[in-house]
Amino acid sequence: MPEPSTNPAAPPSIGLGQRMGYGIGDFAFVALWQACALFLLYFYTDVLGLPPMLAGLIYLVGMAWDAVSDPIVSTWSERRAHRGAGYGRQIRVAALPAGIAFALVFTNPFNDMFAMAGWALFTHLLFRTAFTFASMPYNALPARLTTDGDERSALSAVRVIFAALGGLMTAILLPILVAGAGEDAVRTGHAVAAIVLGALSALVLVICAMTMRKAPPLPADAKPLKGTAGLAGLWSATRDNRPLQGLLTLMALATVGYGLFTQSLIYLVNHVLVRPDLEMVALATPVLVIILAAPVWMMIAARTSKRNALIGGLAMAATGYIILALTPPSQAIMAIVAIAVSGVGNAAIPVMFWSMLADVVDFGHAKSGRRVETRIFGLTTFVQKAAAGLAALCAGGMLALGQYTPEAISPDALTAIRALSSWLPAVLTLAMIGVIWRYPLDRSAHHDALERIAAATTRTGG
């Protein structure tokens, strides 16, 4: 691999192998994340028999813990990277614990309601902790690998394609493994599926870590002296970085909207459309179209701007949600088409977001003279996971208000499911367009930031 340049304005060359090695990591992360997003609430309510509100609360507590730990772990990760334990090594160490903890999430050896709830909460907290230690160093890698905005978009596109493949595998593999266990062994089927998925994801993360072991080191000014200093520096960096504030707002809205959609999708297919035979198709469609659409949004961004590509994607996603909301329950195929349309639009969000976030790191570096890198990604995932927990609580709460029970679906429950899967995501997606419309960091502004970083590095002898 070519030696990385020390000049922030001169990005190092990234080979195909390193691009693929980076991207494959998100195959594992999204496989695990999507399994929880698609199936965990359903597992709690329909397999374990937990009340929907309690199930949503357990999910919320797990995500809240995950969110709170992100800035702390990211600060620790940044210090470790500066001391020689690079991001690749950190991912490798955390890979196996993450896989094992995930497998435990879909097990429950108890029959008593209180014991089941306690085990569900414990295993969820355990998994989210292990997931954080693996994902924090991974999320920071684009800011280390290159400073070129278009190259970052390409990295994000590769990442999103692998992420979609991971989500697709989850959507297909878990139902097959669960169904193979038979109706009398549903719990066993979920446990077997989780063990297989956890082991595969751990292996993939080790492969990613080995590829990333030679990622460029942190610059000297990236080091937080201690945990409290790191968190204080994070607050200062956020307060003075307007583009970062916009992206954090965007992340919160996107996570809630897409979280409501994904967590209600299985309910929509089984209870509104009454087409359980289409469950696998409906779950796989959003991630399948992302694989096809991600490179397209990358090319649109290169020809126009990241902001314009993101706005176009959001408009298409909102259109898909609205079509889904207006589709009669008898028109299942039209509902699948609407899901696909929203998926094409949603593909633009992660491709543009993670690329833009790396640019925002450079913007903050140029403005303050201090590089806050892993901690910004940690703050971002804090917002993401807090919003995901809120989405789960909202989904559970609306199902409870609709008096949802698996045995007898009331009209109010059907209304709640339709709102969760279409109208609410549509409204939140339109709100995201308003947020990103005034995003100030374009290609020229990012280039100016890189030049200021290079000039400061030259003056200080860096």
Side-chain angles (χ1 to χ4, degrees), residues 354-411:
W354 293 111
S355 177
M356 293 162 83
L357 190 63
D359 295 346
V360 162
V361 170
D362 295 331
F363 178 84
H365 187 178
K367 186 172 183 179
S368 67
R370 184 172 180 82
R371 193 169 186 86
V372 180
E373 188 171 277
T374 317
R375 288 166 287 167
I376 282 182
F377 285 89
L379 176 62
T380 302
T381 54
F382 165 83
V383 171
Q384 180 186 34
K385 293 169 183 177
L390 179 62
L393 183 63
C394 179
M398 289 192 66
L399 290 173
L401 288 174
Q403 298 181 337
Y404 170 82
T405 60
E407 297 80 16
I409 310 300
S410 68

Side-chain angles (χ1 to χ4, degrees), residues 34 38-39 167-168 170-172 175 258 261-262 264-270 273-289 324 332-343 421:
Q34 195 77 343
L38 289 174
F39 298 106
L168 182 63
T170 295
I172 294 174
Y258 197 67
F261 170 71
T262 55
S264 61
L265 189 54
I266 192 169
Y267 297 95
L268 178 75
V269 174
N270 285 292
L273 302 179
V274 197
R275 291 292 302 271
D277 57 303
L278 292 178
E279 179 181 306
M280 188 183 299
V281 174
L283 295 178
T285 294
V287 289
L288 181 60
V289 296
L324 181 61
I333 301 303
M334 179 57 68
I336 298 297
V337 171
I339 291 170
V341 171
S342 66
S421 61

